[in-house]
Every structure is written in structure tokens, then in C-alpha cells.
Amino acid sequence: MAEAHQAVAFQFTITPEGIDLQLSHEALRQVYLSGLRSWKKRFIRMRNSVISGAYPASPYSWLFAVVAILATMYTRSDPSMGLIAKIQEHLPVSESLSVQSQMVVLALLLGTLLWLSFIFTMRLCLRQLLSYHRWMFELHGKVSNTTKVWMVLMKLFSGRQPLLYSYQASLPYLPVPAIKDTLRRYLESVQPLMSAAEFERTTTLAAEFENSIGSRLQWYLKLKALWASNYVSDWWEEYVYLRGRSPIMVNSNYYGMDFLYVTPTPIQAARAGNTIKAFLIYRRNVNLEELKPSRIPGTVIPLCAAQCERMFNTTRIPGEETDTLQHLQDSDYVAVYHRGRYFKLWVCKAGRLLSAREIEFQIQRILDDPSLPSQGEEKLGALTAGDREPWAWMRKQFFSSGVNKRSLDCIEKAAFFVTLDDDEQGMMGDDPAGNLDAYAKSLLHGKCYDRWFDKSFSVVVYKNGKNGLNAEHSWADAPTVAHLWEYVLATDAFQLGYDGEGHCKGDIDSTLPRPQKLTWDIPPECEEQVSRSLSVAQALADDVDFHVFPFRDFGKGRVKKHRMSPDAFIQLALQLAYYRDRGTFCLTYEASMTRLFREGRTETVRSCSNESCAFVKALESGEEADVCRRLFRLASEKHQNLYRLAMTGSGVDRHLFCLYVVSKYLGVESPFLKEVLSEPWRLSTSQTPVQQMELFDLVNHPEYISCGGGFGPVADDGYGVSYIIVGEDLINFHISCKYSCAQTDAHRFGTHIRQALLDLLALLDTDQKEPIRSGKTQAKKDQ
């Protein structure tokens, strides 16, 4: 109880001589330093708000404007064209001020007015420049004069070093596409998946929708677009994520893996120490806005940074009808789980962050703690893995007061969650490929009770020093979390580092209080619900089939030599692989970002197109290589165009989704929208971005490649495929499906993907003149 006594700033006892007051100078010092740190943070936030609010102008330009106005007034010229005289007439205190004071006040008022007008004009110009997207559709090497002028202006407006949120107020708003364009693109996307009769029926439904309630729904949507920062994001967050009542484990949460070939240290506590420290450094950089704004690679075009705001100190709170996101400005501790026990680990002392070595020391204390879990504590996290309604009921009934509320608050208000796992994971042992599959499943769901799936993200550190990440999806999308995870891995290995024995570097303050073990009073009724939630989660986890494999035969370098987009190449390989796997085509989802716009999140690229289907059929039917190559390039160009349309706000699915939400608010039924929103995505794909920050040279350190991350299958009879293009010669794939579906098999589909990639590269080889044979025979042999 030593730490409890240290927390008491003063004590008093009543004696016959009076009151004996005892002050704890150390406790008072900690209170003072904590308050000083809090005020420093407030000042920094206020300063950054001023700097970002003035961007692309500078706060110092205000002083220049005031001094310039004052100088012209002293020279008896009137740059305001009579405005100064008008202000002087209506200035309430003009008679009580001297002439010099009046000039200063007038200069301040007029200078501020001109400065604000200048900021508004600059911001409006920058927003117009950022609204220009024609450059994205121009062929490489054939840049128009308009785009060349635009590039020069963008460089001029991006000259000053921006803070993380400097561009937020200048980003354009997501436009609402014309309803006829959206319907045309939708019909084009489903045509290869339907028979002639089905397509005619769908076309009729679309026409009836456009001519009946479509215009009315579109009017309401345009009204929202004028009022809101983004007409999609708030509804997408609420209705797609927060209102879902099924488990978020597997169905919504996703994961990120450690380095593929390297484990910086085999010591669990040391890896946890550096990992936690790296997260805290990133959080400090976010709070200070010292991170550079993300941009489209190779350009000065900024991306929206709004998702960074809720990265830390955020938890999803269960509700009976809808969940909510709870976000705090700051948190001085992390929640740690080990062997069924929950701990509160302080990461700050006397206004400073603990060093990585001190965090390792504290983690080791938790690992060495011999205490047992209290009754009902070990599997309590299963409540976050099961259905949402029972968790909301349990939280309201048993965690709204007393010791349970205090302990739950410690978890929910923590900066993030850490699991110290007793298992060993990674690409290791006699079956490295099989171990990668187990590694993926461990990060996706674990034991179904040893992660807190409601936290914005949970860090998992394994016994052998491997680590990983499980992220909740409602607050942000994968690229934002990938940016964070890439920073953490690079900082851990290349900046913080380890000593010769594998421990974190730095000194230890021996007076650090021990991590606080949380206490619980779990009644039998709650334990019963924990068991039921665990059964639901366990059945879901056991049904997930996962296959992770690195494709080393070639990478984007070989593909780019053929002047083809690597992403389009992989997407067409997935179409070919699915056709070989199932003998048909399916509605395909590829996630694209809309962060060119304010508060943008994602849009769907419908990768299965008329062009891709024509190419696959030609290849599989043994058409001549020249014919297949021509169709291949047409399909690739079509996919790139679809991706660009999605990025620039002209996608299909978010627009139709919002029209559907408006129809529900108005209480009108649309057979067309109902049918569109119920179509299953049997192939859901996503590319994980890599090297969003150049923290180390991947060419000189090729062993420090990321394995990427993945997610669970979206449809019960479909596949989830995540891939990461690493360097020039490697592509990592993460494939998921369900054992309960007899038609799907993750390993079989992985074999088809591998063969499809090889077949497509062979097709692009210019020296190949013979007809291309189907890869079915080879794929069967590989199986």
C-alpha cells in the first residue's frame, strides 16, 4: 500500500494539543507538476489552433498587416478608401483616446479585418485548388497546361510548413454525384453478374426509382451536404458500425502484424516497453500536431487528418440500440491484461513520460505478479467479443456503480489496451506458413476474452517478443491505423532500440509505484452472461479459416516495368483466382479512401467489371496472347478509372447508402435501394498502405518488412483478402473465409491467387507468342 500513502497530500490527527497537520511535500510536488503539465498542453493546443486556423497564411502576417496600416496612417495616406474614417465615427471610445491611441486602435481593427479577409481568400483559393482532380485522370507524360499551372500554384500554397491539422479547414467538401450518373455506374457494375432478364428487371427498377422518389431523396441529401462537413461519414459511422448488434470481433475489428522476418528482442517485457513508449511518442506528436499531414504519395496533395483525433483515449461504449464512442483529451495510463488479471499502468510521472526501460520494469512487475484473478475476472473481456445488446445490459446493471464501475472506467479511459500473451507467435518452427495462419487468428480474436475489443486499439505482445495490433473499426479506417503501426514498429527498432542483452535502453526510477491491480465484484448473473458471450464469440472464432502467405516470385517492380498499375494487376489476379475457384464472378469490394475531402473515409471500387470479366473469360478459353493482353490492359485501365472516380467522390455505394438512409428517415420504401443494399460482397478486398513515412530505408534493411494485416470475411460464403505491396519484390496476402461454407477454402484460394499472379505476369512478357493456357491444371496440381 506504499503507493496509496504516497497519493495522500496531507494527513491530520486531533490531539489534546490541537490539530496535528502533516504535509507530504512529494505528493504536493506531483500535484504541482501534473497541473503544470496540463496547462502546458492547453497552451500548446491553443497555439496550434491559432497556427492551423490562420493557414495557409501565417499568424505573423497579422502583425505585418497592422504595422503596414499604421505606417500608411502616419504618412497621412488612406489605404482604406474611407473605411478608417467610418470606423472612427462609430468608435465608442474615440473621444476619450488621444489621437495616437485612436490611430493604434484603428490600425488594429483595420489590420485584423484585412488579415481575416486575406486568410479567408487564401483558404478559399486553396480549397478551389484542392477541388481540382483532372490531374488524376491524365495519362502519365501527357500533362495538360491547366494541370501544369495548377501544380505550380499548389507548390506556392504549400510552401509554409503545415501542422497536422493545418489543411482541415481548406479541404473541399465531398460532392453529391448526380443521381443519373450513380445509377448508370451501378447498372454497369452489375451487368456482368446478371442474366439478360435479371439485368432488364434491375434497369427497370432503377428507372422507376429515378423517376419517382429519387429526386426527392437527392434534394434532402444535397441539403445535408450544404450543412454538414461530410454528407456520408456520420451516417456511415453510425449505421454501418455503431448500430451493428452482432459481435465486432471478426466481423468488424481488424489486425496488424509485426515484422515478417525480424523480432527485435525475444524479451516480452522489453518489447512491450519499447512498443508502449513508441505509441506514447506518436500520441505526443499528434497532440502537438508535429506529425506531417499525410499526402498522396509523390504529390503535395494533403489528406484529411480528422481520424487522428480519436486514435488514443477512445473506447466504444455498448448501447441497447446503438453504441457510442467515448473520447477523452488525455490519459496518463494504459490498461494491461495478463493471465486473467487487469492492471492500471501509469506511463507518466512528475509531468514526464516514463522511459522505455522504466515501462519494461513495470511490465516485468506485472509478469512476475503471483496474484490470481478474482472471481469472474479472467474471461470478463468476452463481453466485448459477443453480441452488443447483452453487453449493454450487463454494463448498465453491474458496472454502473461501485468497484466494478471504477475498474471498468480504468479500462475504458486508458490511452489504449495491452495484452501480455503467454503464447508464442510468428513465422517460426517447422511449419512457418502454418504458424503465420495461427498468428493471424490470434491477432484477430485471440482466446475471445484476452483482448478488450471495444478499445480504439489493443496491443498484443507475445511471450517470444512478437507483437501485433487489434483495432476497432468505427473510429477510423485501416490506412490511419497502418500509419500509426508503421511509426511504432520503426521507432521501436531504429530509434529506441535495445541494449546488448535485449533490454530497453535508459535508466530506472526505483521509486515508481507498482502497477495497480484492478478489483472486481462480479455476481453470478454476470458470470453466466460472460459464459454465453464467450460461447458466441468462440463459435465465431472457430469458424474462421485463415491463410497468410508472402508472395516472393515477383513484386510491383516487375509489374511497373510493363507500365501497369500494381493494384489493378492484383485486383485482376483476384478476379481470375475467384473465377477458377468458384466458376463464376461475384460482386467485388475494394476499399478506396475519400480523404481528399474533409472528414472523408472510404468508398467502394466495384472491381468486377465488364472488362475484367471479358478478359478472364478470354484467358480461360485459350484465346491468343495478343487478344488476352489487349483485354488485360483494357480491364486494367477500367479498374484505374473506377478507383479514381471513387477517390474523387464519384463512387456508387456511399451515394446509394445515403439515399437509403434518407428514405428511412422519410418513411418511404424503395424496392431498388433495398435490393442494392442487400447484395452480398462475396469478395471483399483491401490494400494496406506501406511506408507512408520514410523512417528507415527499406532497401538497406530488407529484413524489416511488414507482414501487413487482415480482416474477417464479410459474407458467410465469401472471402476477405487483404494485401500489402512491400518494396519491389514482395506481396503479402491475408485470406479469410468460413469453415462452415463448403464452397470456400482459404488455402485453396491462396493457391489460385499465386497461380493467377504468375499467369498474368507471363501474359505480359513480350517474348511470349504462344496462346496462354488456363492455370486450372497447374492449380489442381499444387493442391
Side-chain angles (χ1 to χ4, degrees), residues 138 143-150:
E138 294 179 345
V143 182
S144 65
N145 291 330
T146 303
T147 299
K148 290 178 181 178
V149 173
W150 170 81

Side-chain angles (χ1 to χ4, degrees), residues 33-225:
L33 292 174
S34 179
L36 184 63
R37 176 170 172 264
S38 177
W39 279 105
K40 282 182 178 179
K41 285 184 177 181
R42 292 179 185 178
F43 172 76
I44 291 171
R45 288 194 185 103
M46 183 177 66
R47 181 201 65 186
N48 289 342
S49 296
V50 172
I51 295 174
S52 296
Y55 196 86
S58 166
Y60 298 108
S61 60
W62 172 83
L63 183 61
F64 175 81
V66 171
V67 171
I69 294 295
L70 196 58
T72 56
M73 292 173 64
Y74 272 106
T75 58
R76 300 185 181 279
S77 60
D78 187 7
S80 68
M81 294 178 293
L83 183 60
I84 293 178
K86 288 288 185 182
I87 295 176
Q88 191 171 9
E89 290 177 8
H90 296 86
L91 196 64
V93 292
S94 59
E95 296 180 359
S96 61
L97 295 176
S98 63
V99 176
Q100 289 79 6
S101 298
Q102 289 183 34
M103 292 179 65
V104 171
V105 172
L106 289 172
L108 287 172
L109 289 175
L110 186 58
T112 301
L113 183 62
L114 289 175
W115 182 67
L116 291 176
S117 301
F118 176 69
I119 290 175
F120 178 79
T121 304
M122 291 278 287
R123 188 175 293 170
L124 186 62
C125 292
L126 182 57
R127 181 176 297 168
Q128 292 301 313
L129 289 172
L130 293 174
S131 300
Y132 177 79
H133 298 134
R134 191 184 304 171
W135 63 273
M136 202 178 296
F137 295 86
E138 294 179 345
L139 295 177
H140 183 69
K142 296 182 179 180
V143 182
S144 65
N145 291 330
T146 303
T147 299
K148 290 178 181 178
V149 173
W150 170 81
M151 291 170 65
V152 172
L153 291 174
M154 277 302 306
K155 288 183 179 180
L156 290 175
F157 275 84
S158 304
R160 196 167 68 84
Q161 191 69 22
L163 298 177
L164 177 61
Y165 301 122
S166 290
Y167 286 109
Q168 289 303 105
S170 301
L171 289 173
Y173 298 112
L174 183 67
V176 181
I179 197 166
K180 64 178 181 179
D181 292 338
T182 298
L183 295 178
R184 175 178 52 80
R185 294 187 187 109
Y186 168 77
L187 291 173
E188 184 182 346
S189 71
V190 297
Q191 186 176 10
L193 307 175
M194 295 180 174
S195 65
E198 290 172 333
F199 183 70
E200 184 178 356
R201 172 183 169 276
T202 303
T203 303
T204 302
L205 283 176
E208 291 175 352
F209 169 74
E210 183 180 4
N211 296 327
S212 57
I213 64 171
S215 299
R216 182 185 174 198
L217 301 181
Q218 179 81 345
W219 184 86
Y220 279 101
L221 206 55
K222 287 184 175 180
L223 187 63
K224 185 192 176 186

